[in-house]
């Protein structure tokens, strides 16, 4: 799957969406590799995509260099690690909460970089607001109700960033629900 996606220049976001749709249809994708390959030949496609995002973020805002360099050292989420962390977070373990935030803050940068091109808000502000959304998602996430954490968290991150951008852009502050209604009327 990864080699085909690389040949087709399919970004990680599209590949994630395809895999989640397949999983919802009952198709399970195994991470089984050929035993003839050595560990040196294994390639982390997700990390290469995030390195590209990190490079883009640094081009847009060089002041994020210490943050991004520290973020590159954080080990990405491992399989089923979030489930254990959520149990510890609910019992009040602050280290588990910090670990969960550190694991998924790369998603905040990915989303924030997309907003930089649509708005005139500085990347640093978008990342800080997105981090607030990530923290809210971690605090409110329930595995039995919400499905995949990355989907749930991205909704919270986008919502917080959208509200921040809306408040920065207008001189007169209109409530978000009224603004959404105005956008719908405008489309019609």
């Amino acid at each position: 799957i990864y080699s085909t996606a690389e040949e087709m220049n399919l970004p990680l976001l599209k590949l994630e969406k395809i895999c989640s749709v397949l999983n919802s249809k009952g198709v399970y994708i195994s991470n089984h590799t050929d035993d003839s390959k050595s560990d040196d030949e294994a390639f982390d496609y997700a990390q290469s995509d995030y390195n590209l995002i990190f490079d883009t973020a640094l081009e847009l805002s060089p002041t994020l260099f210490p943050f991004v360099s520290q973020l590159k050292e954080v080990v990405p989420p491992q399989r089923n690690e979030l489930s254990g962390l959520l149990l510890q977070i609910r019992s009040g373990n602050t280290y588990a909460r910090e670990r969960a935030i550190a694991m998924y803050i790369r998603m905040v940068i990915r989303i924030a970089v997309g907003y930089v091109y649509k708005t005139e808000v500085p990347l640093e502000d978008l990342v800080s607001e997105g981090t607030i959304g990530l923290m809210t998602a971690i605090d409110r996430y329930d595995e039995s109700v919400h499905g995949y954490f990355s989907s749930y968290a991205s909704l919270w991150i986008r919502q917080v960033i959208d509200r921040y951008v809306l408040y920065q852009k207008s001189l007169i502050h209109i409530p978000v629900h009224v603004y959404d209604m105005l956008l719908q009327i405008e489309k019609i």
Side-chain angles (χ1 to χ4, degrees), residues 112 114-122 126 161-162 165-166 169:
Y115 275 88
V116 167
Y117 295 113
K118 293 189 264 184
T119 66
E120 296 176 4
V121 180
L126 295 173
I161 290 176
D162 280 337
V165 168
L166 179 65
K169 157 168 116 170

Side-chain angles (χ1 to χ4, degrees), residues 91-106:
S91 68
N93 187 339
T94 56
Y95 172 75
R97 187 170 188 268
E98 289 174 12
R99 169 68 180 139
I101 291 168
M103 287 187 324
Y104 286 96
I105 200 143
R106 58 184 54 213

Side-chain angles (χ1 to χ4, degrees), residues 20-160:
S20 65
V21 169
L22 288 173
N23 282 336
S24 69
K25 304 271 185 200
V27 177
Y28 296 101
I29 301 167
S30 174
N31 198 13
H32 180 70
T33 57
D34 188 12
D35 293 336
S36 63
K37 290 184 178 179
S38 69
D39 289 339
D40 294 335
E41 294 178 13
F43 186 72
D44 187 0
Y45 290 91
Q47 189 60 41
S48 68
D49 252 9
Y50 275 108
N51 283 337
L52 219 139
I53 290 168
F54 292 152
D55 292 343
T56 305
L58 290 175
E59 286 175 15
L60 293 170
S61 179
T63 59
L64 285 176
F65 180 78
F67 177 68
V68 170
S69 62
Q70 184 180 9
L71 190 58
K72 284 182 179 182
E73 296 174 8
V74 174
V75 177
Q78 304 301 306
R79 183 177 210 161
N80 298 327
E81 182 179 5
L82 184 64
S83 302
L85 287 175
L86 288 173
L87 291 173
Q88 294 175 13
I89 290 169
R90 287 188 197 111
S91 68
N93 187 339
T94 56
Y95 172 75
R97 187 170 188 268
E98 289 174 12
R99 169 68 180 139
I101 291 168
M103 287 187 324
Y104 286 96
I105 200 143
R106 58 184 54 213
M107 185 169 50
V108 171
I109 291 180
R110 183 187 74 213
I111 293 170
V113 164
Y115 275 88
V116 167
Y117 295 113
K118 293 189 264 184
T119 66
E120 296 176 4
V121 180
L123 182 62
E124 295 90 349
D125 293 346
L126 295 173
V127 169
S128 64
E129 291 298 317
T131 304
I132 293 170
L134 175 65
M135 288 188 256
T136 305
I138 288 172
D139 293 339
R140 295 185 179 199
Y141 180 69
D142 182 9
E143 288 179 306
S144 61
V145 178
H146 298 118
Y148 292 112
F149 177 75
S150 58
S151 301
Y152 181 74
S154 68
L155 291 174
W156 273 103
I157 293 166
R158 289 178 197 282
Q159 180 185 17
V160 172

